[in-house]
Amino acid sequence: MKLLNLDFTRISHDTFKIKGSKVIYTDPYKLAKHDEADIVLLSHEHFDHLSMEDLSKVTFPGTVIVASPLCKDGLKTIRVKETHFLKTGETCAVGKVEIEAVPAYNTNKFREPGKPFHPKGQDYLGFVITLDGTRVYFAGDTDCIPEMQNIKCDIALLPVSGTYVMTVEEAVQAAAAIHPRIVVPMHYGAIVGTDADAAKFKSLAKGCQVEII
């Protein structure tokens, strides 16, 4: 789907192919076919975000990986052009593409009392990507967090499934805090969440265009 000047394909879960002057993949998972990514973004090390089987389908010797430091061990055997590990708040440039690592963490989703699935301060990441003049926010696995008020983007890719990430209602709050032109719901249809969550988000979100892709 064409959103502003970029082509977006949602493949599964949190996996998007974003195509402009470069081809970018986010958290490749459950890929049905091979492709060549110029840039791959990896938000953290969980199996549905760092999948070596799927990563091998989109990387080639010219690929640049930008990842959380949590992915270091999992990427030891990968052979690509470059790998950049960004901590929260750090940035890097891949050619003319600018990438900023932003916080992603849970405030009220716990694997057991006091232990969130994605703890704050441990470099679980989202990314703000500037590609061909358009700013895209890939939120990663996160709840609605105060730092979102500082995100400046044209397009926001927000999780909506609940359980490990924001619920639909929390994602609506996040969209209101961020004020993007366009929101695309994600994190449903593979592990948790259904198409109904995306549809509910679209019905509740105000002040932005919502595209389900």
Side-chain angles (χ1 to χ4, degrees), residues 103-153:
Y105 60 87
N106 289 130
T107 59
N108 59 8
K109 311 294 187 305
F110 301 96
R111 63 177 72 250
E112 59 183 83
K115 293 188 177 180
F117 292 105
H118 309 91
K120 183 178 182 180
Q122 295 190 18
D123 289 321
Y124 291 88
L125 299 181
F127 297 100
V128 177
I129 311 134
T130 304
L131 173 61
D132 300 343
T134 296
R135 289 174 61 84
V136 179
Y137 171 43
F138 172 75
D141 277 11
T142 188
D143 280 322
C144 184
I145 56 177
E147 293 90 339
M148 288 178 174
Q149 296 179 15
N150 300 320
I151 299 291
K152 307 297 182 188
C153 67

Side-chain angles (χ1 to χ4, degrees), residues 157-169:
L157 313 177
L158 300 181
V160 298
S161 68
T163 306
Y164 307 108
V165 296
M166 293 186 281
T167 63
V168 168
E169 292 78 10

Side-chain angles (χ1 to χ4, degrees), residues 75-100:
L75 293 175
K76 281 181 178 178
T77 61
I78 198 78
R79 295 291 178 263
V80 291
K81 181 180 179 181
E82 298 173 9
T83 303
H84 300 276
F85 295 103
L86 298 186
K87 295 182 178 181
T88 303
E90 293 184 336
T91 62
C92 75
V94 181
K96 294 183 179 180
V97 181
E98 296 178 4
I99 300 162
E100 178 184 359

Side-chain angles (χ1 to χ4, degrees), residues 23-24 34 54-55 60 77 85 126 135 146 153-154 170 176 187-188 196:
V23 173
I24 300 175
H34 290 256
D54 292 291
L55 198 55
F60 74 111
T77 61
F85 295 103
R135 289 174 61 84
C153 67
D154 302 296
E170 289 166 338
H187 202 285
Y188 65 91

